[in-house]
Amino acid sequence: MLNRVVLVGRLTKDPELRYTPNGAAVATFTLAVNRTFTNQQGEREADFINCVTWRRQAENVANFLKKGSLAGVDGRLQTRNYENQQGQRVFVTEVQAESVQFLEPKGGGSGSGGYSGDQRGQYFGGGQNDPNPYGGNQNNQNRNQGNSFNDDPFANDGKPIDISDDDLPF
């Protein structure tokens, strides 16, 4: 059996962070995910999908994502039900997010979420002054050879890209 959900969308509002009675963090948020087709007026519609994440991931979501942030979610679909104040049974379907990826830098694009280099270092275990923002040990030889996370090996510097049709995979 398989229960897997992969989504990319924008948050419709800031995530809500709460804690269970035993201290586990839980964050809820809604992703607006565009449909692949347009309606009769030529406009693209969106689905609004409720997501839940737990513990450290929940705290990171609450700290780094905001309304409008572009995020990727990998998780599973889960249903639950409860009885409301009127005595009616209410069924809820939501994505239990096992992984949330922040897909744009802080302040970038039309969203305001993501993280900057300094925050990324804290997120992955490095400190603000750590020359390796991803934490862990990095070989000093690589550090001194000019390799940088900011280098773009695909930058064309304004020149046309020289590629033949034989090099294309399609």
Side-chain angles (χ1 to χ4, degrees):
M1 296 190 225
L2 181 65
N3 181 357
R4 197 98 223 114
V5 176
V6 178
L7 304 169
V8 174
R10 294 198 179 271
L11 274 72
T12 60
K13 61 182 179 178
D14 291 350
E16 294 180 20
L17 179 65
R18 294 183 219 151
Y19 290 88
T20 64
N22 61 355
V26 58
T28 57
F29 57 97
T30 302
L31 275 185
V33 180
N34 284 339
R35 294 182 179 173
T36 57
F37 54 88
T38 57
N39 62 18
Q40 292 179 347
Q41 291 77 30
E43 299 167 347
R44 198 156 270 195
E45 295 179 356
D47 292 303
F48 299 91
I49 301 171
N50 295 324
C51 301
V52 178
T53 190
W54 294 85
R55 296 174 188 76
R56 182 70 180 152
Q57 183 79 51
E59 292 173 341
N60 288 331
V61 163
N63 288 332
F64 296 118
L65 294 180
K66 304 286 179 238
K67 177 181 179 179
S69 297
L70 186 64
V73 171
D74 181 18
R76 59 188 169 78
L77 208 56
Q78 184 171 303
T79 59
R80 60 185 172 88
N81 63 72
Y82 63 93
E83 194 171 297
N84 67 11
Q85 294 175 346
Q86 291 78 25
Q88 298 169 322
R89 178 80 36 209
V90 177
F91 291 88
V92 178
T93 301
E94 55 202 1
V95 173
Q96 292 291 320
E98 296 165 2
S99 171
V100 179
Q101 301 295 317
F102 311 145
L103 298 180
E104 61 189 0
K106 186 172 185 133
S110 62
S112 60
Y115 47 73
S116 68
D118 290 340
Q119 292 166 329
R120 183 175 16 191
Q122 293 170 358
Y123 179 75
F124 287 104
Q128 285 186 338
N129 297 322
D130 188 348
N132 176 8
Y134 296 99
N137 295 326
Q138 183 181 17
N139 189 327
N140 282 336
Q141 293 174 352
N142 289 341
R143 201 178 287 155
N144 294 330
Q145 290 176 349
N147 294 337
S148 169
F149 291 111
N150 296 329
D151 290 344
D152 184 0
F154 300 106
N156 64 3
D157 299 325
K159 302 172 192 160
I161 298 173
D162 184 26
I163 190 166
S164 72
D165 288 343
D166 295 334
D167 293 332
L168 297 174
F170 47 88

